[in-house]
Amino acid sequence: MHSTVVRLQNVFSFFTTVAFCVAAVIALSSFINPQVPTASIRLRDVQVYVRKGRPFYYSQKKEEYAYMSFDLDADLSTLFNWNTKQVFVYVKAVYPSHKPGLPDSEAIIWDAILPSASAPWHQNHYIHPSPKGSQKKPKKNSKDNKGKSQAEAWPHGQGILHLTNQRPKYQITDFSGKLANRTSVRLELGWNVQPWVGALVWENKRDFGMWKALEGGVSERFNLPAIGKKVDGRKLEMEKGKEGHRLEVGGEYPIAGKGKRV
Amino acid sequence: MADQLLDPLRDALEGQIDFEGQRLAELITTFLLGAAGIVAFFIGFMAQDIRLTLYIGLAGTALTFLAVVPPWPIYNKNPEPWLPPSSRAIGVNIDVDGSKVG
């Protein structure tokens, strides 16, 4: 510590040690926040249809796609503690593989980024649709949502989702290209808790300390129908999501918020 | 000439402090940074605001840099009384090409 440079180095060196220790303690502090997530999910509508080609692929292969809409009631409010940056929540369709002995196939049909109160505004953040009967319509222009308060973004409270007849964001296909008449399909809720510091955690299937396992979150098993004869395009509209840059099968360009081409 | 100009500049940049000052600087570094970390965590945890933790921690670190890095007079209160240079007193004779040196 005899000269300025040495003192500078020593102070910075000890600062990094302190910063690491504080970060470690913050990461560990997540574990003393109890988590009691609950969810129930139900299938609303399921259709299977054939389309040619895939978004962003120069493929002319005909593949079967499934469209599933669903109801979701979830209370994920306990996932938000002081160390939570955002929760990436998704609904996936899980179905047995073609060959026995292989693990089940999973495909995400809907997802959302649920921001915590401490996260800075971002255009991709999910804004819960207003409940039926309320007068306010969600603003279309994403810039208007910038000033939205926490209460407006969460009509039922932070992390509480009540979605009825939710359209999927993604139509799914199987790598085999065949999806019709699949049996024992179910919808499952999953999430990633992304902390400010610490490890990324997935949904918990079993109790872990003060974190209770997810209660519910799996739909009843259903079978995929045979290929529909005629597909009503409007009926099978995808949810665009906040991200905007979404592709539909057969579409050549990403779809912007209002159908603009980007 | 150059030495007369550069020596004070070098001294200011080197910022030497005495032995007691070094002990004190070490102590202040450990205490201030450690306290900043602990206080930052607890205040942030109480307020459930991780941004508060970040800012308190950074403020404490800035304060520590300010308090320890410059050679403040408090670190030079116990100057070491060095012995005067006296090469003759040692009694070593150096002989170079027959003539005495040193």
Side-chain angles (χ1 to χ4, degrees), chain A residues 121-180:
Chain A
W121 178 89
H122 192 277
Q123 58 180 3
N124 289 358
H125 285 163
Y126 185 67
I127 290 175
H128 195 287
S130 304
K132 267 184 188 170
S134 78
Q135 295 297 316
K136 271 188 184 173
K137 279 190 175 175
K139 287 172 185 167
K140 287 270 172 65
N141 193 344
S142 61
K143 272 184 183 171
D144 293 344
N145 293 326
K146 212 168 193 171
K148 270 210 168 191
S149 68
Q150 193 73 16
E152 278 178 288
W154 293 109
H156 305 286
Q158 189 183 34
I160 298 174
L161 299 167
H162 292 295
L163 304 174
T164 40
N165 205 4
Q166 172 67 46
R167 290 177 302 184
K169 268 162 104 171
Y170 315 104
Q171 44 200 336
I172 59 166
T173 183
D174 191 66
F175 75 94
S176 66
K178 301 278 177 222
L179 214 48

Side-chain angles (χ1 to χ4, degrees), chain B:
Chain B
M1 179 65 188
D3 276 357
Q4 280 173 353
L5 279 173
L6 287 177
D7 271 354
L9 186 70
R10 191 164 53 224
D11 282 352
L13 282 180
E14 265 191 18
Q16 299 226 349
I17 58 178
D18 61 43
F19 290 128
E20 275 305 312
Q22 292 177 33
R23 192 199 311 273
L24 188 66
E26 187 90 49
L27 199 74
I28 289 177
T29 307
T30 313
F31 177 78
L32 271 184
L33 279 179
I38 292 166
V39 167
F41 173 78
F42 278 103
I43 290 187
F45 189 71
M46 306 269 186
Q48 288 287 296
D49 185 357
I50 201 160
R51 231 171 273 207
L52 211 56
T53 300
L54 177 71
Y55 290 143
I56 292 174
L58 287 181
T61 307
L63 184 74
T64 313
F65 271 102
L66 203 66
V68 172
V69 174
W72 298 114
I74 194 175
Y75 300 127
N76 269 321
K77 275 189 172 169
N78 302 292
E80 203 63 30
W82 298 105
L83 290 173
S86 52
S87 52
R88 275 174 207 281
I90 307 167
V92 178
N93 291 320
I94 300 163
D95 201 341
V96 178
D97 288 343
S99 59
K100 296 258 192 272
V101 178

Side-chain angles (χ1 to χ4, degrees), chain A residues 1-5 7-8 10-12 14-15 18 22 25-26 29 32-33 81-83 117-120 196-197, chain B residues 13-17 22 25-26 29-30 33-34 37 41 44-45 48-51 53 58 61 64-65 68-71:
Chain A
M1 300 288 263
H2 63 279
S3 72
T4 305
V5 175
R7 286 194 296 275
L8 202 72
N10 280 4
V11 173
F12 186 76
F14 191 52
F15 160 69
V18 170
V22 171
V25 175
I26 291 173
S29 78
I32 65 165
N33 267 290
N81 60 48
W82 78 312
N83 190 23
S118 54
W196 287 110
V197 265
Chain B
L13 282 180
E14 265 191 18
Q16 299 226 349
I17 58 178
Q22 292 177 33
E26 187 90 49
T29 307
T30 313
L33 279 179
F41 173 78
F45 189 71
Q48 288 287 296
D49 185 357
I50 201 160
R51 231 171 273 207
T53 300
L58 287 181
T61 307
T64 313
F65 271 102
V68 172
V69 174

Side-chain angles (χ1 to χ4, degrees), chain A residues 245-256:
Chain A
H245 297 281
R246 202 138 304 291
L247 282 166
E248 279 183 343
V249 171
E252 288 169 76
Y253 297 96
I255 294 155

Side-chain angles (χ1 to χ4, degrees), chain A residues 5 16 28 31 33 40 51 53 56 61 70-71 85 89 96 119 142 165 168 172 179 185 188 202 204 242 246:
Chain A
V5 175
T16 56
L28 290 175
F31 290 103
N33 267 290
S40 74
R51 289 252 175 117
F56 274 136
K61 192 179 158 193
F70 59 92
D71 293 345
K85 183 189 180 193
V89 61
S142 61
N165 205 4
I172 59 166
L179 214 48
V185 188
E188 278 184 27
W202 267 252
N204 34 340
K242 291 291 292 173
R246 202 138 304 291

